Amino acid sequence: MNYDDLKELDDSELRYDITHFSEHDGICTLNGMIPIQVDAVSFSYEGDVDIEVCNEHDNLLGFLCICKSLTDINIASLTDARYIAYIHEVDKHTFEVGLPYKFTKNYLVIDVCEYDDYKNKYMDSAPIWGGFFHSNGESSLQEAYHFQPSKLIARPRIELPTDYHKESCIRSVVQPYAFERFLKLYHLLELIFDWKLVEKIKSLNDDLQGIGQLLNQYSNTKELDRLKILLKDKDKEGKLDVDKIANCLNRIKSSNYLAKGLEIFFDYGKDGNPYKIDPDKMIPFVDLMNRGGFTRSNSRGKSIKGISENTYDDLVINFSAYCIYRVRCCTAHNRIGEYVMSNDDEGFVVEFAEPLLREVLCQIFSR
């Protein structure tokens, strides 16, 4: 409610008479306290608590009221901080008829005299020092990107070798945003790199020299090359479906994502892009996409230079590994010389990079 609505109520309906209420910046206040909406609070905080918020001199500014989880709240039992948050949020009709209520937001309730100082000095940095977030004119929490798959295909015979892999899988599901979810899925690759090394060391028993050679080789192998080796080993076993991986790569043909892919993988490309290793022998990437993308029929065409039937599998493996690794770098690092992912890139990750990574993971962990 706004202050004008509040003044129209009977005093008996309020916890305090109207003289205890006022208005500041268009918001109702109570006994000098003003509520500020909080859009998100760290999941590490327990729900249904009021946490003291103090300034750098340890003087009390107010309370972080984690109340969004409350349902059918008992108005009489609310703290004053929560009560003014409730007054701010509830509409006049719901208040007058006494309907059951559930908070839709959490709130920071602070002293009115600290309000302007808080907005100028502390609000923007609250995610760092306080683990909570306000939306304002300069910044806002964008809703996570959503899309609707046409269908989901259940995959049999996928085995995760350790509990660490199982935990990372679960964590990837509960991440609402694409970048964090992609990194959680990528952790499964990092874990399998190490797990494969451990398995090789176990097979050598007490061959210390052999173990030393393995460790030296592992430490000198770049992460991108480890992923390529992982896929090629699976291919040698006859257990890699290159065509399924190629289908995922071809998602980049979309007009929405091809330009983005060219920027990430070519303009900001690093070592490892098979199209940059020997460009004179490769058809330009855009031309390949215009011809239908990665397909075996394309690889047999005489006009497709550099992509013979014999090199097709290697190209798909190398380029898919490169794409996965580059997106991992772009989501994990924010630095000069790197493509910095923003909210506008979530669709690219959700609809191209994530399905590609999931397909690779399904095949790597398949028996």
Side-chain angles (χ1 to χ4, degrees):
M1 285 186 289
N2 58 40
Y3 185 58
D4 290 336
D5 288 336
L6 198 70
K7 290 189 294 184
E8 294 176 1
L9 298 174
D10 190 308
D11 271 2
S12 63
E13 298 179 275
L14 298 170
R15 176 179 296 184
Y16 298 94
D17 66 60
I18 195 64
T19 59
H20 289 260
F21 295 89
S22 186
E23 183 181 53
H24 185 82
D25 199 20
I27 303 171
C28 282
T29 68
L30 169 63
N31 293 329
M33 297 186 299
I34 185 169
I36 309 172
Q37 289 185 356
V38 171
D39 283 65
V41 174
S42 171
F43 283 100
S44 63
Y45 297 162
E46 289 187 2
D48 193 18
V49 294
D50 288 359
I51 303 173
E52 286 188 356
V53 179
C54 298
N55 65 14
E56 66 271 30
H57 306 296
D58 207 30
N59 297 322
L60 183 68
L61 295 178
F63 298 91
L64 175 63
C65 301
I66 305 178
C67 52
K68 187 177 177 180
S69 61
L70 295 182
T71 58
D72 297 338
I73 59 174
N74 180 0
I75 308 300
S77 67
L78 292 178
T79 62
D80 280 356
R82 292 190 180 202
Y83 184 73
I84 189 55
Y86 165 71
I87 292 293
H88 172 75
E89 186 171 295
V90 72
D91 64 79
K92 183 180 177 184
H93 172 71
T94 301
F95 182 87
E96 287 181 318
V97 299
L99 295 175
Y101 194 75
K102 175 185 177 180
F103 277 105
T104 62
K105 295 280 187 180
N106 296 305
Y107 286 87
L108 177 68
V109 180
I110 64 173
D111 195 297
V112 170
C113 66
E114 302 285 356
Y115 180 75
D116 291 334
D117 205 34
Y118 176 80
K119 289 177 67 177
N120 293 328
K121 292 173 57 177
Y122 305 111
M123 178 177 277
D124 286 346
S125 58
I128 299 174
W129 58 259
F132 60 92
F133 176 87
H134 306 278
S135 286
N136 55 49
E138 290 74 37
S139 62
S140 62
L141 184 63
Q142 181 169 307
E143 184 179 353
Y145 183 92
H146 296 88
F147 82 119
Q148 184 174 352
S150 57
K151 60 182 175 181
L152 301 175
I153 306 296
R155 304 284 282 267
R157 298 182 298 280
I158 294 177
E159 289 187 355
L160 300 174
T162 71
D163 289 340
Y164 296 110
H165 290 85
K166 295 173 184 176
E167 181 182 337
S168 285
C169 280
I170 293 170
R171 287 181 180 274
S172 75
V173 173
V174 299
Q175 297 291 337
Y177 289 93
F179 306 151
E180 291 80 7
R181 189 167 58 245
F182 187 91
L183 290 176
K184 271 296 150 199
L185 290 170
Y186 189 86
H187 287 169
L188 293 169
L189 293 176
E190 294 178 321
L191 288 168
I192 200 66
F193 297 152
D194 293 344
W195 184 79
K196 289 281 188 182
L197 175 64
V198 171
E199 290 296 297
K200 289 178 180 178
I201 290 174
K202 285 180 179 179
S203 69
L204 294 176
N205 297 318
D206 59 353
D207 182 1
L208 297 182
Q209 185 173 351
I211 292 172
Q213 290 174 340
L214 277 177
L215 291 173
N216 184 60
Q217 182 184 31
Y218 185 77
S219 63
N220 290 326
T221 303
K222 295 180 180 178
E223 194 163 315
L224 173 56
D225 292 327
R226 291 176 191 168
L227 178 52
K228 291 179 182 178
I229 292 169
L230 200 61
L231 289 169
K232 289 178 180 179
D233 285 348
K234 201 77 175 178
D235 196 34
K236 290 175 184 176
E237 297 171 6
K239 297 179 179 179
L240 193 74
D241 191 330
V242 173
D243 292 333
K244 283 186 176 179
I245 295 175
N247 288 338
C248 291
L249 284 175
N250 288 335
R251 288 172 175 253
I252 205 171
K253 289 188 301 182
S254 161
S255 59
N256 295 327
Y257 300 134
L258 183 55
K260 184 75 67 178
L262 290 171
E263 187 175 7
I264 294 171
F265 302 136
F266 289 83
D267 296 348
Y268 282 84
K270 309 292 181 179
D271 294 340
N273 185 343
Y275 283 91
K276 286 193 170 185
I277 293 173
D278 198 350
D280 292 336
K281 293 183 178 180
M282 302 291 289
I283 180 175
F285 185 74
V286 174
D287 291 348
L288 179 64
M289 292 299 106
N290 289 336
R291 292 173 186 262
F294 293 95
T295 65
R296 292 195 180 276
S297 60
N298 259 347
S299 72
R300 297 189 186 99
K302 294 181 181 179
S303 61
I304 306 296
K305 63 177 181 178
I307 308 179
S308 68
E309 199 168 353
N310 294 330
T311 60
Y312 177 77
D313 284 14
D314 275 348
L315 177 62
V316 170
I317 289 171
N318 290 338
F319 192 67
S320 61
Y322 172 74
C323 289
I324 289 170
Y325 180 68
R326 288 295 302 125
V327 173
R328 173 261 182 195
C329 292
C330 294
T331 53
H333 307 307
N334 286 347
R335 62 190 181 197
I336 294 175
E338 186 61 86
Y339 180 89
V340 178
M341 290 280 187
S342 68
N343 289 335
D344 294 337
D345 299 309
E346 271 217 309
F348 178 83
V349 175
V350 171
E351 299 205 42
F352 168 71
E354 189 176 343
L356 174 62
L357 176 53
R358 287 184 184 277
E359 179 60 44
V360 165
L361 289 171
C362 283
Q363 296 200 36
I364 285 174
F365 290 109
S366 292
R367 286 187 284 113

